[in-house]
């Protein structure tokens, strides 16, 4: 209805005809509620306290839904940033060929880890260590696939991409650095592929940016499942992260089983 003087007059007339004719006690919240008669002579008695509570509940549910949708969008960002080559998209336990005893051992342990994910005791995390092309990313991606199919929240990201994503969060308004940390901390499983492959700038005795980020992420999941893959030894990782190095590696290894892999590089096998 367009606003004009006539409409205003009509509204005021309607209000002036509203009469309070009694009081009642709301059966839900026990507030005292006026009973009014409207201009048509009908009795109305809505409890404003209850109506406000219902509205508040609705707003809360709406906010929760928005937050959940936002988290889902950021989870997709992890997938967008992660450099998963096409050949890994189809990687699964079923198509992993254990052509060396250590690979057979890795496959059995990782499959067991995925199948018993909800009942792990004594340890909760894995570190797959070995040279290039042995299938570390293949097997850890298989763990991710298996658990995602069960509805678990899994983040699979290679470490250089995770750092790229955090750098981007400084410029991108759709997610913040703290969103990245929060989701990394909250996920059922965090898989940090290729840890140690990222470029770490040496900063003359000062903690580097990369070391601080890894320290924060790993510390936030100290007692929660993680899978790391790396080409480096603990000593090499430790020296890579400078002053923070020993503490990062020590936290990485808490509750973590080491799986060492050997054998031929699958990528250059045809040579
Ligand atoms: N034992 C295997 N059976 C089947 N496919 C394999 C096996 N090992 C590796 N591959 C395949 O070879 C490619 C390279 O393997 P992957 O990326 O898992 O190696 P990686 O150990 O992670 O190497 P890097 O240290 O360089 O990251 C992938 O396409 C992977 O699916
Ligand atoms: Mg790899
Ligand atoms: Zn009420």
């Amino acid at each position: 209805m367009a606003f004009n003087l006539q409409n205003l007059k009509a509204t005021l007339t309607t209000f002036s005809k509203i009469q309070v004719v009694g009081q009642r006690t709301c059966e839900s919240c026990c507030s005292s509620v006026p009973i009014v008669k409207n201009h048509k002579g009908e009795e109305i008695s809505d409890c404003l306290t209850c109506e406000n509570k219902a509205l508040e509940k609705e707003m809360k549910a709406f906010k929760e839904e928005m937050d959940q949708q936002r988290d889902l969008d950021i989870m997709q960002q992890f997938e967008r940033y992660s450099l998963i080559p096409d050949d890994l998209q189809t990687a699964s336990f079923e198509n992993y060929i254990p052509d060396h005893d250590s690979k057979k051992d890795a496959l059995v342990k990782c499959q067991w880890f995925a199948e018993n994910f909800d009942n792990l005791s004594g340890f909760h995390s894995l570190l797959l260590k070995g040279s290039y092309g042995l299938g570390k990313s293949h097997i850890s991606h298989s763990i991710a696939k298996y658990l995602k199919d069960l509805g678990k929240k899994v983040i699979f990201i290679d470490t250089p991409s995770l750092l790229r994503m955090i750098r981007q969060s400084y410029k991108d308004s759709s997610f913040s650095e703290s969103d990245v940390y929060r989701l990394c901390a909250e996920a059922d499983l965090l898989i940090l592929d290729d840890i140690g492959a990222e470029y770490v700038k040496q900063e003359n005795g000062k903690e580097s940016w990369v070391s601080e980020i890894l320290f924060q992420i790993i510390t936030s999941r100290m007692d929660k499942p993680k899978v790391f893959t790396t080409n480096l030894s603990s000593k090499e990782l430790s020296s890579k992260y400078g002053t923070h190095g020993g503490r990062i590696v020590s936290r990485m290894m808490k509750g973590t089983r080491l799986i060492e892999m050997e054998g031929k590089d699958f990528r250059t096998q045809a040579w």
Side-chain angles (χ1 to χ4, degrees):
M1 197 197 309
F3 178 80
N4 61 35
L5 203 55
Q6 225 165 349
N7 288 340
L8 180 65
K9 263 188 194 165
T11 310
L12 287 176
T13 313
T14 306
F15 269 115
S16 67
K17 285 182 183 161
I18 290 175
Q19 279 181 304
V20 177
V21 293
Q23 292 284 331
R24 68 175 179 98
T25 303
C26 170
E27 56 279 9
S28 303
C29 72
C30 298
S31 305
S32 177
V33 184
I35 303 168
V36 297
K37 225 178 214 175
N38 68 12
H39 64 292
K40 291 183 196 158
E42 297 161 340
E43 280 192 4
I44 303 169
S45 178
D46 296 330
C47 174
L48 283 183
T49 312
C50 282
E51 277 186 4
N52 282 342
K53 261 191 208 155
L55 191 66
E56 240 172 62
K57 207 171 152 191
E58 211 176 296
M59 293 291 283
K60 204 173 153 215
F62 178 69
K63 189 181 175 299
E64 273 169 14
E65 203 179 299
M66 295 289 285
D67 287 349
Q68 270 173 16
Q69 187 52 49
R70 190 164 175 273
D71 283 359
L72 283 177
D73 291 345
I74 304 170
M75 284 298 270
Q76 276 183 356
Q77 296 272 21
F78 280 103
E79 285 178 24
R80 222 167 288 146
Y81 274 88
S82 190
L83 295 171
I84 302 178
D86 287 348
D87 52 0
L88 274 191
Q89 301 285 357
T90 54
S92 69
F93 292 128
E94 288 72 32
N95 58 24
Y96 184 76
I97 303 158
D99 57 1
H100 186 279
D101 279 350
S102 69
K103 293 186 185 178
K104 199 182 284 175
D105 181 59
L107 178 63
V108 169
K109 284 179 176 159
C110 290
Q111 211 160 356
W112 187 91
F113 175 84
E115 285 167 4
N116 294 278
F117 188 74
D118 285 329
N119 300 303
L120 296 170
S121 76
F123 74 103
H124 47 64
S125 300
L126 300 174
L127 170 66
L128 296 168
K129 187 208 163 263
S131 185
Y132 316 110
L134 299 183
K136 300 180 297 298
S137 298
H138 184 123
I139 290 195
S140 54
H141 193 265
S142 310
I143 297 175
K145 187 173 180 301
Y146 182 94
L147 292 171
K148 273 187 191 173
D149 286 349
L150 293 179
K152 302 278 183 204
K153 262 197 240 169
V154 181
I155 295 176
F156 176 98
I157 192 161
D158 58 290
T159 314
S161 298
L162 174 67
L163 296 165
R164 216 159 34 85
M165 187 174 166
I166 291 177
R167 240 180 237 118
Q168 188 60 26
S169 74
Y170 304 146
K171 300 181 231 160
D172 193 324
S173 59
S174 67
F175 67 100
S176 68
E177 184 181 14
S178 60
D179 287 325
V180 177
Y181 292 138
R182 183 175 51 80
L183 290 175
C184 279
E186 282 175 9
D188 296 317
L189 173 65
L190 173 68
I191 302 181
L192 280 186
D193 194 24
D194 243 346
I195 191 162
E198 70 288 344
Y199 173 66
V200 176
K201 196 169 153 196
Q202 298 302 324
E203 292 177 3
N204 301 329
K206 278 192 195 162
E207 258 71 276
S208 77
W209 178 79
V210 171
S211 311
E212 281 187 30
I213 285 170
L214 290 178
F215 182 77
Q216 181 153 343
I217 289 176
I218 291 165
T219 305
S220 75
R221 292 194 64 95
M222 278 269 276
D223 298 313
K224 288 180 91 177
K226 299 169 286 296
V227 172
F228 303 105
T229 82
T230 188
N231 295 140
L232 303 182
S233 67
S234 64
K235 220 174 174 181
E236 286 166 324
L237 274 176
S238 194
S239 76
K240 179 162 185 143
Y241 299 128
T243 330
H244 254 345
R247 300 166 75 204
I248 291 175
V249 174
S250 152
R251 278 161 178 74
M252 268 174 73
M253 294 318 291
K254 184 171 179 264
T256 300
R257 285 279 148 90
L258 172 67
I259 298 176
E260 291 198 73
M261 293 169 72
E262 288 169 49
K264 278 192 228 148
D265 177 348
F266 211 86
R267 292 193 190 101
T268 56
Q269 223 177 31
W271 287 10

